[in-house]
């Protein structure tokens, strides 16, 4: 329960969500879990588009104790998303990264890299409730923001990235990360040095690590069901298209995962974020999301988010947009640990008046998906 694992492992979700297969092999505890979504995407408005694509992730980890109080954990996380091609998939109002190294991807979500995480963590327990750890990843997740969306119990049924991704959690694939962490009872403090540049358009490679940026995160887990964090980052040259510009970011979030009935459980995350690029006005975002699982077959989820940006139409200054998403998935068991799911989600967006000629008043979008998930 340390570091990012502590953030993800929040809230006793082991028995509720229970993703993952585990084996003991000698001294090693092996664990794997994953989700693969085949998605048909139809984004409305003249800036939208249609496309089929594969999203998700497969993760494996190996953990062993080394001495009485020491633990080593090795984690690999892979993404199928490079198969969709460098331009990613249509996602209204998403902006960030590039497909060709020359133009920003707008109204499309970039694919994640094949290697989303290859990391190791060495933890040393100081007592039953406190400890220290060192984490290194290439790529890895610096101590910044809430857990990345595909790991958040509140929204990991949705096959798409949030439009607030680049405010809250887009640093989760950083090529080169070193983190030191300290946990004392309910409080954790982590500091990271990492590479500030976003991954480039070659999604199959491992990029040159650098430690040119830093972040710090303070987390509080007052109960096993509640996790709060606030984090800061100073990013060196995050965007390939504006290499001279550095950026500061800040986030705060609250996550709750709890029992909802005998067999049901629910989870929610509320998050705010702010980006301050050098020489430009600050831009904020917030999101509120929740999922409800009345039983093991059904998942219902929703999210509302708002972001502020000048990337949708470069001739305009900062504009606002929001998006509401609602979805449902039904799962059928395939054997004991694997489930086949069929899901549908609908979203409606809204933009400030200057953007309405481009997007229309309230463009609708939808995604239908088939998924394979272990749990
Ligand atoms: Cu991401």
């Amino acid at each position: 329960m340390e570091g990012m694992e502590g953030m993800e492992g929040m809230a006793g979700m082991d028995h509720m969500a229970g993703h993952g297969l585990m084996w003991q092999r000698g001294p090693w505890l092996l664990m794997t879990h994953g989700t693969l979504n085949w998605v048909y995407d139809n984004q409305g408005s003249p800036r939208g588009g249609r496309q089929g694509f594969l999203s998700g992730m497969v993760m494996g980890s190996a953990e062993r104790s080394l001495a009485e109080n020491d633990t080593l954990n090795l984690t690999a996380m892979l993404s199928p998303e490079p198969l969709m091609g460098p331009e990613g998939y249509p996602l209204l109002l998403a902006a960030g990264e590039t497909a060709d190294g020359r133009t920003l991807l707008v109204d499309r979500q970039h694919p994640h890299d094949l290697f989303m995480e290859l990391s190791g963590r060495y933890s040393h327990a100081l007592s039953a409730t406190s400890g220290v750890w060192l984490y290194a990843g290439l790529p890895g997740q610096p101590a910044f923001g809430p857990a990345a969306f595909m790991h958040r119990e509140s929204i990991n049924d949705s096959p798409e990235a949030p439009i607030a991704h680049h405010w809250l959690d887009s640093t989760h694939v950083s090529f080169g990360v070193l983190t030191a962490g300290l946990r004392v009872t309910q409080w954790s403090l982590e500091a990271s040095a990492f590479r500030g540049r976003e991954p480039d358009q070659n999604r199959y490679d491992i990029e040159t690590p650098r430690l040119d940026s830093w972040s710090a995160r303070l987390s509080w887990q007052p109960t096993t069901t509640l996790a709060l964090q606030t984090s800061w980052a100073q990013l060196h040259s995050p965007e390939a298209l504006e290499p001279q510009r550095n950026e500061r970011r800040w986030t705060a979030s609250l996550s709750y995962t709890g029992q909802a009935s005998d067999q049901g459980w629910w989870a929610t995350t509320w998050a705010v974020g702010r980006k301050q690029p050098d020489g430009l006005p600050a831009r904020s975002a917030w999101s509120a999301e929740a999922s409800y699982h009345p039983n093991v077959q059904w998942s219902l989820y929703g999210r509302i988010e708002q972001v502020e940006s000048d990337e949708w139409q470069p001739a305009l200054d900062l504009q606002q947009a929001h998006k509401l998403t609602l979805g449902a998935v039904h799962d059928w068991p395939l054997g004991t640990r694997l489930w086949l799911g069929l899901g549908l989600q609908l979203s409606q967006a809204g933009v400030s008046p200057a953007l309405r000629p481009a997007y229309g008043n309230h463009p609708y979008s939808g995604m239908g998906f088939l998924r394979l998930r272990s749990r």
Side-chain angles (χ1 to χ4, degrees):
M1 285 293 280
E2 293 99 349
M4 281 308 293
E5 294 305 317
M7 303 282 304
E8 295 158 24
M10 69 184 111
M13 56 180 227
D14 321 338
H15 64 279
M16 282 180 281
H19 308 307
L21 316 180
M22 285 192 193
W23 306 266
Q24 191 75 40
R25 279 284 174 281
W28 291 95
L29 176 66
L30 307 176
M31 198 199 78
T32 177
H33 76 98
T35 302
L36 291 176
N37 304 299
W38 186 84
V39 186
Y40 181 74
D41 173 18
N42 187 349
Q43 302 282 304
S45 98
R47 308 259 305 234
R50 295 176 194 189
Q51 190 177 316
F53 65 88
L54 206 56
S55 75
M57 59 99 193
V58 177
M59 182 175 167
S61 70
E63 191 167 296
R64 63 167 295 172
S65 53
L66 286 177
E68 202 180 338
N69 296 315
D70 294 6
T71 309
L72 176 68
N73 177 292
L74 304 171
T75 292
M77 201 187 315
L78 303 182
S79 166
E81 295 181 5
L83 294 171
M84 68 176 75
E87 301 205 314
Y89 57 92
L91 189 69
L92 232 47
L93 299 163
E97 303 193 15
T98 153
D100 56 7
R102 292 185 300 276
T103 48
L104 182 72
L105 280 170
V106 180
D107 298 310
R108 297 189 71 86
Q109 172 62 37
H110 64 78
H112 284 104
D113 284 60
L114 169 65
F115 297 108
M116 287 208 292
E117 181 163 358
L118 296 171
S119 69
R121 195 180 68 237
Y122 191 94
S123 316
H124 175 73
L126 300 167
S127 75
T129 55
S130 57
V132 290
W133 61 93
L134 275 175
Y135 165 96
L138 179 61
Q141 315 192 28
F144 184 74
F149 66 90
M150 64 274 280
H151 307 302
R152 289 202 296 269
E153 290 302 319
S154 49
I155 204 64
N156 67 17
D157 287 298
S158 172
E160 71 176 15
I163 58 174
H165 190 39
H166 282 267
W167 280 256
L168 301 175
D169 50 358
S170 68
T171 51
H172 69 111
V173 185
S174 294
F175 281 94
V177 182
L178 268 184
T179 300
L182 164 71
R183 176 185 172 104
V184 179
T185 65
Q186 304 168 344
W187 295 85
S188 302
L189 184 63
E190 298 155 279
S192 296
F194 64 103
R195 195 182 84 149
R197 174 62 59 82
E198 294 173 330
D200 68 16
Q201 66 273 20
N202 303 312
R203 301 292 175 178
Y204 291 97
D205 63 346
I206 301 243
E207 297 174 39
T208 313
R210 240 174 254 123
L211 299 176
D212 53 16
S213 302
W214 67 267
S215 68
R217 177 166 60 197
L218 178 66
S219 312
W220 182 41
Q221 275 186 267
T223 69
T224 54
T225 54
L226 193 59
L228 292 89
Q229 68 84 30
T230 183
S231 45
W232 301 263
Q234 167 75 40
L235 292 104
H236 176 76
S237 184
E239 305 208 35
L241 303 178
E242 287 195 320
Q244 75 290 353
R245 216 186 281 288
N246 300 329
E247 189 170 294
R248 275 164 289 150
R249 290 187 193 176
W250 167 81
T251 73
S253 65
L254 177 157
S255 295
Y256 173 86
T257 305
Q259 205 91 28
S261 63
D262 275 1
Q263 354 167 2
W265 60 277
W266 72 288
T268 185
T269 298
W270 297 66
V272 291
R274 197 171 162 84
K275 299 199 278 192
Q276 172 72 69
D278 283 356
L280 292 175
R283 44 220 62 207
S284 335
W286 59 261
S287 86
E289 60 195 24
S291 66
Y292 172 58
H293 310 261
N295 52 50
V296 288
Q297 276 94 32
W298 280 101
S299 306
L300 307 171
Y301 61 88
R303 169 170 56 214
I304 178 154
E305 49 188 331
Q306 170 152 328
V307 302
E308 200 173 32
S309 176
D310 56 7
E311 292 174 319
W312 300 305
Q313 209 151 297
L316 301 172
D317 51 10
L318 279 191
Q319 303 292 320
Q320 276 90 35
H322 61 265
K323 179 177 169 186
L324 170 70
T325 304
L326 294 172
V329 192
H330 189 275
D331 285 302
W332 291 270
L334 297 177
T336 49
R337 304 298 266 164
L338 196 62
W339 295 71
L340 176 71
L342 182 62
L344 182 69
Q345 76 169 40
L346 293 172
S347 7
Q348 188 184 39
V351 293
S352 38
L355 290 169
R356 283 182 199 153
Y359 287 95
N361 263 358
H362 284 107
Y364 280 96
S365 301
M367 290 185 184
F369 55 99
L370 257 182
R371 77 173 178 197
L372 274 178
R373 172 170 277 194
S374 67
R375 69 180 175 199

